Amino acid sequence: MINENSANKRLIKNTLLLYFRMFLSMAMSLYLSRITLSYLGINNYGIYNVVGGVVMLITVVSSAFTSSSQRFLSISLGKDDINGVNRCFLTIQNIHILLAVIFLILAEACSVWMIEDYLTIPKERISAAYVVFHLSVLTTLLTLLNVPYQALLIASEKFSAFAYIGIIEQASKLVAILILVHLSGDHLIRYATLLFVLSLSIRLVYAVYARKNFRQITAYRLFIDREKFNEIWRYVSWAYLGNFSGIAKEHGINIVIGHFFGVAINAARGVSMQVYNAIFQFGNNFVAALHPQITKCYASQDYDRAIKLVVKGTKFTFFLMYVIAVPILIRLNQLLAIWLKEVPEHTLIFCRLIIALCIVRTIQDPINTLYLAIGKIKKSQIFAAINTVICLLFCALLFYVGLPPESSVFLSLLLEVFNILVTCHLLAELIKIDWGSFFKNGVVPIGKVVIISLPANLFFYWMSGTGIVCTLLICAIAFVVNVSIVFLCGLDKNEKKYIVVLFNEKLRKLQ
């Protein structure tokens, strides 16, 4: 059995490290987005978002692969068998090499059809689109090959290294784009080249760190554990289907929007996805720190703590998202004007709906973590693929009959709620969960916080003032008010006591 007190402290420490990484990375990322949009222009930014978006597509898929790979590494590490962990790592590494080869073949086979026939790209930018596509494919291959090293760091709970490498990556992008602004040439091609070079550099950093600190585990040799390979391959194949379907849905919507409305609307959706990715990190960081512990609890048959972590995780992940997303929603129009020099048309409504979608998705993440830990994921991944097909078909139909591009987000919201219900049903078939307790301790506190905070948030929304100082002040006050409501109305007595004791301990250390 896992020592709950030490595990909780480690969870908090790892979460804080990930938030340290996120705050610095997000600040650099938001400024980077502003410079990039200004540097590329709306049309070039839209072209990269739809053509080079394959990088974003596989980057998010690879993060899901990191979770899948981390599951097997966590179980192997729990057995304290270095040779077994090495065999598991090598197997995962070989699987991702195979995936990289498959992706390369499929991507290059589809390149002509996508760029020449389907997408609406100005003729004078076709050649640049090809260069961007090929560089994006190479960047994606490096991202896939990085997954085993990221999974090893997470399974070992080495979040400090994971955090610092992420900060280095974002800082490098920022410095590089500031240099590119002063260089001549095709801006779109230079930007795609920059991302490829940085991806190669980060790949080397991960490899060097892992080989230095996990020499016995990462030592490569020509070895394949056939039984482990088959087990991992079956799991990763289903995970690939489900996770690729989820991200393909988002990128597929992007392609359909580009086909019906042109690249200018792609630019608006691209900005909204930047906001989505930034906000999503608030909840995702907590889940990332939670993931290894849920997996290890399940592997050690400590099912009660695993379920307890899921309930607490659902509640706290939502609260973390809520206190950040609501102040942004309240003053979104002003924040977009401060952030971007030129706000593409439809950006405001896209951002509002995407943030709402982001909040809804946080409810499922801890539940899905336990589901992935159990390993019987076939049904859920098939459903995810069906969900994607339905979404893309209905999006095309909605656009065909004349509805605006924002209707795609409404459709995604409805399908996301349905997806949460299906996941809960499938999980109940695999492990005994007291859903009454889950509703009481997880869902009810969320509802209380939303209802009690609604009047205050509406008041902040109706407040006048458009200046930078006024906007930031209102956001800060809204944040403090929502955090206070979460603490007073969303936490139980033990949670409040634990936070107060922990805060006092940290305060004493600083004195």
Side-chain angles (χ1 to χ4, degrees):
M1 301 289 285
I2 295 174
N3 186 304
E4 186 168 337
N5 189 49
S6 63
N8 287 338
K9 289 183 177 180
R10 191 167 64 253
L11 176 61
I12 293 173
K13 177 185 175 182
N14 290 336
T15 303
L16 291 175
L17 279 169
L18 289 175
Y19 276 113
F20 171 70
R21 172 185 184 265
M22 182 204 63
F23 278 121
L24 290 180
S25 297
M26 187 175 67
M28 290 184 285
S29 178
L30 291 175
Y31 184 59
L32 180 64
S33 297
R34 172 177 174 159
I35 296 175
T36 302
L37 181 58
S38 176
Y39 173 70
L40 293 178
I42 290 179
N43 283 338
N44 275 342
Y45 189 81
I47 291 171
Y48 185 82
N49 188 54
V50 71
V51 177
V54 69
V55 176
M56 180 187 70
L57 174 71
I58 302 300
T59 296
V60 183
V61 170
S62 71
S63 68
F65 271 109
T66 302
S67 298
S68 302
S69 302
Q70 173 263 314
R71 173 191 179 271
F72 288 94
L73 288 170
S74 294
I75 293 174
S76 298
L77 286 167
K79 297 177 181 178
D80 198 23
D81 178 10
I82 295 298
N83 290 329
V85 179
N86 175 245
R87 290 195 296 270
C88 182
F89 179 83
L90 290 176
T91 303
I92 291 171
Q93 194 173 40
N94 289 329
I95 287 175
H96 283 85
I97 291 173
L98 178 60
L99 287 173
V101 173
I102 293 173
F103 169 77
L104 176 63
I105 295 172
L106 291 177
E108 291 299 333
C110 296
S111 61
V112 175
W113 170 80
M114 188 176 77
I115 295 174
E116 296 280 357
D117 298 330
Y118 193 78
L119 297 179
T120 306
I121 297 175
K123 290 184 179 181
E124 66 273 11
R125 302 303 292 155
I126 291 291
S127 59
Y130 272 112
V131 175
V132 169
F133 184 86
H134 295 312
L135 287 172
S136 299
V137 169
L138 294 176
T139 303
T140 301
L141 296 181
L142 294 172
T143 302
L144 283 172
L145 295 175
N146 233 11
V147 168
Y149 297 102
Q150 291 178 330
L152 181 59
L153 293 184
I154 294 173
S156 305
E157 298 190 61
K158 298 290 185 181
F159 286 98
S160 57
F162 185 72
Y164 294 137
I165 293 174
I167 292 171
I168 291 172
E169 181 178 10
Q170 285 299 114
S172 299
K173 287 182 181 179
L174 181 58
V175 171
I177 194 69
L178 289 173
I179 294 174
L180 285 184
V181 169
H182 300 287
L183 299 179
S184 59
D186 191 303
H187 290 181
L188 183 60
I189 293 175
R190 285 185 178 276
Y191 180 69
T193 305
L194 161 69
L195 293 186
F196 167 69
V197 172
L198 289 179
S199 181
L200 176 61
S201 302
I202 294 300
R203 164 75 175 86
L204 294 175
V205 170
Y206 270 112
V208 169
Y209 178 87
R211 291 185 181 279
K212 181 179 179 181
N213 293 275
F214 303 99
R215 187 176 298 275
Q216 288 181 284
I217 295 175
T218 58
Y220 189 81
R221 63 185 190 277
L222 293 175
F223 171 82
I224 295 179
D225 185 331
R226 183 169 297 180
E227 182 179 351
K228 180 64 70 174
F229 183 91
N230 291 335
E231 180 186 2
I232 295 176
W233 179 253
R234 284 194 299 270
Y235 183 91
V236 172
S237 296
W238 287 117
Y240 179 81
L241 173 64
N243 290 302
F244 184 82
S245 296
I247 306 307
K249 178 171 66 176
E250 300 301 327
H251 192 63
I253 291 172
N254 211 25
I255 292 176
V256 175
I257 287 175
H259 179 69
F260 279 91
F261 301 102
V263 295
I265 304 300
N266 282 127
R269 192 172 188 274
V271 171
S272 70
M273 292 309 296
Q274 290 279 348
V275 175
Y276 171 90
N277 291 331
I279 295 177
F280 187 74
Q281 288 301 314
F282 280 89
N284 193 51
N285 281 333
F286 182 68
V287 175
L290 201 64
H291 197 141
Q293 290 201 18
I294 291 178
T295 303
K296 291 172 183 176
C297 285
Y298 179 80
S300 62
Q301 299 183 343
D302 189 357
Y303 301 135
D304 289 339
R305 174 161 171 78
I307 294 171
K308 183 179 179 181
L309 286 171
V310 171
V311 176
K312 299 288 186 183
T314 300
K315 183 171 71 171
F316 280 104
T317 304
F318 180 89
F319 288 156
L320 288 168
M321 290 286 296
Y322 188 77
V323 299
I324 295 299
V326 168
I328 293 174
L329 279 171
I330 288 171
R331 311 301 289 182
L332 183 59
N333 197 14
Q334 292 82 3
L335 289 171
L336 286 174
I338 295 170
W339 175 31
L340 301 174
K341 293 181 179 179
E342 183 180 358
V343 181
E345 189 180 359
H346 293 270
T347 298
L348 179 62
I349 186 64
F350 261 125
C351 285
R352 283 175 175 164
L353 293 172
I354 286 290
I355 290 172
L357 178 63
C358 186
I359 294 174
V360 171
R361 281 180 175 170
T362 60
I363 298 175
Q364 185 182 3
D365 288 339
I367 300 171
N368 199 48
T369 297
L370 178 57
Y371 191 84
L372 292 173
I374 295 173
K376 297 180 180 180
I377 61 175
K378 178 180 177 180
K379 291 181 180 179
S380 69
Q381 308 311 299
I382 291 175
F383 174 76
I386 295 173
N387 187 301
T388 296
V389 174
I390 292 173
C391 183
L392 294 179
L393 287 176
F394 272 86
C395 274
L397 179 62
L398 292 175
F399 298 156
Y400 181 77
V401 299
L403 290 179
E406 297 89 348
S407 59
S408 61
V409 189
F410 280 108
L411 178 62
S412 295
L413 272 167
L414 292 175
L415 291 174
E416 195 65 35
V417 173
F418 186 59
N419 192 39
I420 292 172
L421 297 175
V422 170
T423 303
C424 290
H425 172 72
L426 293 175
L427 185 59
E429 294 179 347
L430 300 175
I431 190 171
K432 185 178 179 180
I433 296 180
D434 184 353
W435 290 109
S437 176
F438 180 89
F439 183 82
K440 177 183 177 181
N441 298 315
V443 179
V444 170
I446 290 174
K448 284 172 59 179
V449 167
V450 172
I451 293 171
I452 293 172
S453 65
L454 183 60
N457 289 325
L458 287 175
F459 173 75
F460 292 130
Y461 178 77
W462 288 325
M463 287 182 69
S464 60
T466 58
I468 295 177
V469 175
C470 181
T471 297
L472 296 179
L473 182 61
I474 291 174
C475 287
I477 295 173
F479 173 78
V480 172
V481 169
N482 280 282
V483 168
S484 301
I485 293 173
V486 165
F487 182 80
L488 295 172
C489 306
L491 306 185
D492 60 35
K493 292 181 180 179
N494 291 330
E495 291 164 348
K496 292 176 184 176
K497 182 179 178 180
Y498 187 85
I499 290 175
V500 170
V501 170
L502 186 66
F503 178 79
N504 288 334
E505 286 181 359
K506 297 298 182 183
L507 195 62
R508 281 195 297 269
K509 289 181 180 180
L510 294 175
Q511 291 175 348

